[in-house]
Amino acid sequence: MTYTAEQLDGVRRIKRCRNYYEILGVQRDASEEELKRAYRKLALKFHPDKNRAPGATEAFKAIGNAFAVLSNPEKRLRYDEFGSDQEHVSTGQARHYNYYTEFEADITPEEIFNVFFGGHFPTGNIHMFSNVARDAHYYPRRHRNERVWTQEQEEEENRPQNSYSAFIQLMPVFIIIIVSVITQLMATNPPYSLFYKSSIGHVISRETENLQVPYYVDKNFEKNYQGAELQELEKTVEKDYIDYIQTSCWKEKQQKSDLSNLAKLYRDERLKQKAESLKLEHCEKLSSLIGMHKGG
C-alpha cells in the first residue's frame, strides 16, 4: 500500500502534538462548531481507508479522542485544568504522543466517525478496530520497491476511458439485469404474502392456526391448499413472519441505540428523551410470539 509524503508528515505532526487542542488545530476557546469542523476535516484526512501512512491509525484514534473529550463540557473543563500540555520526559530522544489515559473518552473513535458520516467512509469501506491493542500497528508494510502514489498516477486514473473500455466494464451489470428480468418473467407468484398485495391478487386475509400469524392469499388458495399441505404452508408463513419480526426488532434497537449515542455525544436532552420514549413494537410482538410458541 502507498502513501504520500504529505500524509506521512501529517501523521508525524499529530504525534508531536502535546495536547488535544494542537491535535485538532484549534484555539483553546474554540466553539463546538469549530471543533466539529476541525474533526470532520481531520477524520477524513487520517481515516485508515484514506491514509495508509505508518501511524495513521493511531493518529485517527488521537483525533477522535481529542474531539470526544473537548466536545464534552465537563471533560473539557477537567482537561483544561489537569490534562493539558502533558509531555513525556525526554532524554535526547524524540517525544511520542501519549493517550492521556485519565482523559480518554467514553466513546470509541469509530463510533464518533459513524455519527458524523453515517457509518460509511465516503470513498471506501470503514475499518473497525475498537477491540485491538493500543500499541499494535495496523498499517501494511510497504515494500521498498513499491512506488509512492504520484500526481501523474492520480491523473492517469481520472482520465476519461474510451467507449469500448466502458462497455466492457459495464457488461457484468448488463448481464445481471438481463438475468434478473428473465428470472422475474419465469417465476410464478408465491401462494401467500405477509402483507396485502393487490398486484398479485393477495387480498384475502387469513391467520395461521398455531400462532395466529396474519397473511394474505388469492381467491383460489383454499382449493389448492388443504389438510397437510395447508399445515406445512402455514409453518413456512410463521417462520417468514418471525424472521421479519426479528429483523424489525433489531432495527428498532439499533435506532434506539443510535439516538442514545448521539444524545450522549452532544449532551442533548431532547435526543435522550426521544431515545427513551422510542417504543420497540416489533420486539414486543416477538416476545409475545415466543410466549405463544412455548405455551403451545
Side-chain angles (χ1 to χ4, degrees):
M1 297 297 178
T2 60
Y3 54 87
T4 65
E6 181 182 358
Q7 289 175 329
L8 185 59
D9 288 342
V11 172
R12 289 171 177 170
R13 182 196 73 79
I14 296 294
K15 288 185 176 182
R16 288 195 300 267
C17 290
R18 296 177 300 172
N19 60 63
Y20 288 157
Y21 293 99
E22 285 188 21
I23 290 174
L24 295 180
V26 298
Q27 300 296 320
R28 291 184 176 273
D29 59 352
S31 65
E32 181 179 344
E33 200 58 40
E34 289 173 326
L35 291 173
K36 289 179 183 178
R37 283 199 300 268
Y39 171 79
R40 185 182 294 272
K41 179 180 178 181
L42 290 172
L44 288 174
K45 184 177 180 181
F46 287 92
H47 191 282
D49 276 346
K50 178 71 174 178
N51 192 329
R52 302 298 177 88
T57 296
E58 289 78 6
F60 177 74
K61 285 185 176 183
I63 292 163
N65 205 53
F67 173 76
V69 171
L70 296 184
S71 62
N72 183 314
E74 293 180 6
K75 287 183 176 291
R76 182 174 181 177
L77 184 64
R78 180 169 174 78
Y79 176 76
D80 287 342
E81 186 174 359
F82 300 108
S84 187
D85 289 322
Q86 295 188 25
E87 295 186 36
H88 289 294
V89 176
S90 178
T91 58
Q93 298 178 343
R95 283 197 311 271
H96 295 280
Y97 172 78
N98 69 41
Y99 272 78
Y100 310 145
T101 52
E102 63 270 38
F103 292 103
E104 286 189 0
D106 297 326
I107 185 170
T108 63
E110 62 270 18
E111 287 173 335
I112 299 173
F113 189 88
N114 291 347
V115 169
F116 272 83
F117 302 104
H120 299 284
F121 187 74
T123 57
N125 297 324
I126 184 168
H127 285 259
M128 305 301 287
F129 42 78
S130 58
N131 294 324
V132 292
R134 187 172 295 157
D135 295 330
H137 295 286
Y138 306 100
Y139 54 87
R141 293 185 179 273
R142 180 169 178 257
H143 194 276
R144 62 184 178 183
N145 294 324
E146 189 173 16
R147 294 182 300 172
V148 174
W149 184 268
T150 65
Q151 186 174 359
E152 290 183 2
Q153 288 173 293
E154 188 169 348
E155 290 175 354
E156 181 69 24
E157 288 292 326
N158 292 329
R159 285 176 187 164
Q161 297 176 321
N162 59 49
S163 58
Y164 178 75
S165 176
F167 175 76
I168 293 298
Q169 289 186 351
L170 290 175
M171 185 176 291
V173 178
F174 294 146
I175 293 174
I176 292 174
I177 293 174
I178 293 171
V179 171
S180 177
V181 171
I182 294 175
T183 301
Q184 290 180 6
L185 291 175
M186 295 178 63
T188 58
N189 291 334
Y192 70 91
S193 299
L194 294 179
F195 305 98
Y196 184 95
K197 290 185 178 180
S198 58
S199 60
I200 56 177
H202 291 170
V203 296
I204 300 175
S205 177
R206 292 177 59 94
E207 286 187 351
T208 62
E209 184 177 355
N210 184 27
L211 299 179
Q212 286 76 56
V213 170
Y215 66 105
Y216 293 86
V217 298
D218 60 26
K219 60 183 180 180
N220 297 317
F221 179 81
E222 292 185 359
K223 297 179 181 178
N224 299 324
Y225 291 92
Q226 297 177 2
E229 289 186 356
L230 177 60
Q231 292 178 0
E232 287 299 317
L233 179 75
E234 289 195 342
K235 287 181 181 179
T236 303
V237 172
E238 291 174 348
K239 181 181 181 302
D240 288 349
Y241 184 73
I242 290 174
D243 288 344
Y244 163 73
I245 293 296
Q246 285 178 329
T247 302
S248 300
C249 173
W250 179 86
K251 289 180 180 178
E252 288 174 344
K253 289 182 177 179
Q254 190 66 35
Q255 183 182 6
K256 193 179 186 75
S257 175
D258 289 345
L259 284 174
S260 297
N261 287 337
L262 283 171
K264 181 179 179 181
L265 179 62
Y266 294 112
R267 302 182 63 81
D268 190 318
E269 190 63 28
R270 181 183 61 84
L271 284 176
K272 180 181 178 182
Q273 292 176 358
K274 185 176 180 180
E276 292 175 349
S277 62
L278 191 65
K279 293 183 178 180
L280 305 179
E281 295 179 354
H282 287 92
C283 296
E284 293 174 0
K285 287 183 180 180
L286 182 61
S287 297
S288 177
L289 280 172
I290 293 174
M292 291 175 61
H293 183 68
K294 290 182 177 179

